[in-house]
Each structure stands twice: as structure tokens, then as C-alpha cells.
Amino acid sequence: MSLKNLLPGRLGFGTAPLGNMFRAIPDDEARATVEAAWDHGIRYYDTAPFYGAGLAEERLGQVLAARPRDSYVLSTKVGRVVLDEHETDVPDFGEKGGLFEHGNPNKVLHEWTAEATERSIEGSLKRLGADRLDIVWVHDIAQDFYGDAWIQKFEEARTGAFRVLSRLRDEGVIKAWGLGVNKTEPIELTLALDEPRPDGFLLAGRYTLLDHEHALTRLLPMAQEQGVEMVVGGPYSSGVLAGGTHFEYQQAPPAIIERVGRLKALAGKHGVSIKAAALQFSLAHPVSAAVIPGATRPSRITEDTAALDETIPAAFWTELRAAGLVSPAAPAPRQRLSPRPPATP
């Protein structure tokens, strides 16, 4: 199924921060943020067991349980099974070490076999309090977590998760599946296979104002040719484009800080908010179906929805290209983007 036909509007909500990413977030703050997303008409919600060992799914489910299930689209991920036992060792998240140290204390099994995929889905449905999922992403089978061993993880997923999700889609249990990763190579490898065929992919951090060259030249032409669409995660590059200090989930290095400063200077010159530039850039490519910034405060939701309504002059994009801050091959937004359909009760 086409993601653009499935997703209700081009702005969704990414829940990784609700898993206590970087900091411990009070329950009432997390709940208020999800409710703000709903009140602003957002009807696509993405989550994962990995986000705080199930914490993000639990928090999202507490709010959505009071809403009609047919009124929103829900996606989660497979590859991590949250166990009932508590973790006694420091989890190894590769480059993402310490990312969810404030999450639930549960031990998490990293596995992409058929059996683990079914267990993962069952656990997610329970934590979400939902009777079904619309989209399921195969999570993090990439170099940033597993280094050179990522190919082994990919093969495990190819013979396990890929086949289970293809069957569930064919049976109508889910509507779509794909990969949810922070690197382009696993998606490129999947698109090169004869089977199975994904419906789309969630690519985090690789099609942003700060990082888009590789995806633009390698992955996106393949996806466009095959009619496979993309949800853009991490449009603010872990927060550094939205006033934060993180890039790639770590403290931003001086070179990135300098580049962000140049972007903001040009945005200020043209009266453009950096959030508007970031979101609209990520959505401008024909393959882009939606963008899913994360948030932990209701005010951030207000900013995100306003950013998609903001008019950005063409001269801004022209000057970004001239300054070497945006690839000349990257499509520029040409008109205002509707962030959401009319709100429903």
C-alpha cells in the first residue's frame, strides 16, 4: 500500500523522546505532549519497544486508548522483545550508548527471527492497549548498532521478520511494513532483493538539512523507481536544528554547530524559522510521505504544526544552494504543505 494513501496528513508524531531519551520525563508532561499532538490534528503516531524498554509505547497507549481506533494510524517496530525480567548489565547500544538509560528497567532481547517478531508484536499491542497495528517497521538492522555484524542481523531479519510481516500484510492483519533505520544501506540492500517487497521505509536522520547527500544520490532514486515511499524520522538531526545540543544522538561537534549557525543566519535573513526549513525540506522530495519529529513538551507540537504552515520564500532555498548548505540536486519546497487533515473528535 502507498504510504501517502495510508497516512493521514504529512506531519506525524515520533515517540522516541517519550521513552525518556536523554532525560527522565514526568508522566504528566509526556501525556500532555501526546494530547497536544492529538488536539493539533496529528493522526499518525510512531513508536517502538526499544524506546525506553516499552515506556514510550505505554505512554502513547494511555492517551490513544481513549480515541477511536479507526481515527488514527499507528506504527511500531520489531527487533526488540521487552522481557519481564530486569536488566542487570549495562545495555550495549553501539553508537547509541546511554540513549535510554532513564527508561524502564526491563531487559530487552535483540532478535529478528520469526518467533521474536511475533512476540514483539504481541508485546507492543499489550503495552499500547490496541487491537491492531497499521504499519510495522523492522528496527535498527544497521551499522550504527552492530558495526560489521549488521549483515548477520539483516540476514536474520530477511529470513524471519521480513517473511512474517509480508504474510501479515497479505492476510490483512497489518496494512504495510518496511525498515526503520538510521542508515541507508539496509534499505538499499532490501530494495535490491527480488523478494520480499516492503511498502516503504522510515529513515531517521539521513534526509535532513544537515545530512542528505548520500540518501539523495543512492537510496532515493532506487525507492522512487520502485514506488517505495519514505517516512522521515529525526528531521531536526537529534535536536541540533531545533535549538538542542545533540547530533546523531550525541553532543554535536564544532563543525556541526558551525554549520547550524550558518543555516540559522540565512534563515534569519529571510525571516524563516529553522524548524520550518527543516520540516519542509524533508518533505519536499517526491519519495517523502510524512515527517515525524519527536517532542516532550506541548509547545513543541505547536511549533511543528506552525512550521508546516509557514511560507518560505524561494530566495531562501536559492541562497542555501549558493552557500553550499543544500545539495543543488535536492528538491526545494514550492508551496505550503498541509500538515494534517481536518481534526476529528
Side-chain angles (χ1 to χ4, degrees), residues 197-249:
R197 307 306 301 166
D199 300 282
F201 53 93
L202 194 169
L203 182 62
R206 300 282 77 79
Y207 197 70
T208 73
L209 281 175
L210 287 176
D211 187 345
H212 55 270
E213 286 275 6
H214 185 81
L216 188 65
T217 57
R218 289 177 55 93
L219 171 61
L220 298 187
M222 293 177 64
Q224 192 168 8
E225 181 179 348
Q226 297 186 29
V228 176
E229 294 167 341
M230 167 178 65
V231 172
V232 180
Y236 303 136
S237 294
S238 300
V240 72
L241 280 171
T245 61
H246 290 94
F247 174 74
E248 287 296 291
Y249 308 101

Side-chain angles (χ1 to χ4, degrees), residues 110-293:
H110 298 233
E111 191 173 309
W112 291 263
T113 63
E115 188 270 341
T117 297
E118 293 178 348
R119 286 177 64 193
S120 180
I121 291 173
E122 181 181 349
S124 290
L125 289 171
K126 183 177 180 181
R127 288 185 293 274
L128 288 161
D131 62 353
R132 67 186 185 279
L133 301 167
D134 297 299
I135 306 171
V136 178
W137 308 113
V138 181
H139 205 190
D140 285 338
I141 43 173
Q143 309 93 304
D144 51 336
F145 277 91
Y146 303 105
D148 293 340
W150 78 271
I151 291 291
Q152 299 172 13
K153 305 296 183 182
F154 181 93
E155 183 62 14
E156 183 179 294
R158 186 189 69 81
T159 58
F162 287 16
R163 294 176 181 175
V164 169
L165 297 178
S166 292
R167 174 177 56 80
L168 292 178
R169 178 192 59 194
D170 294 344
E171 293 173 352
V173 177
I174 62 176
K175 296 176 181 176
W177 75 274
L179 274 66
V181 291
N182 301 288
K183 299 291 184 181
T184 65
E185 288 82 0
I187 305 171
E188 293 170 32
L189 185 55
T190 302
L191 294 180
L193 297 174
D194 291 331
E195 57 82 29
R197 307 306 301 166
D199 300 282
F201 53 93
L202 194 169
L203 182 62
R206 300 282 77 79
Y207 197 70
T208 73
L209 281 175
L210 287 176
D211 187 345
H212 55 270
E213 286 275 6
H214 185 81
L216 188 65
T217 57
R218 289 177 55 93
L219 171 61
L220 298 187
M222 293 177 64
Q224 192 168 8
E225 181 179 348
Q226 297 186 29
V228 176
E229 294 167 341
M230 167 178 65
V231 172
V232 180
Y236 303 136
S237 294
S238 300
V240 72
L241 280 171
T245 61
H246 290 94
F247 174 74
E248 287 296 291
Y249 308 101
Q250 300 176 12
Q251 287 296 312
I256 292 296
I257 297 296
E258 187 272 338
R259 190 174 182 87
V260 171
R262 293 172 63 198
L263 285 165
K264 289 184 175 180
L266 283 179
K269 175 182 175 181
H270 290 273
V272 173
S273 72
I274 194 65
K275 274 196 166 186
L279 294 186
Q280 294 190 31
F281 174 83
S282 292
L283 283 170
H285 197 281
V287 167
S288 295
V291 63
I292 52 168

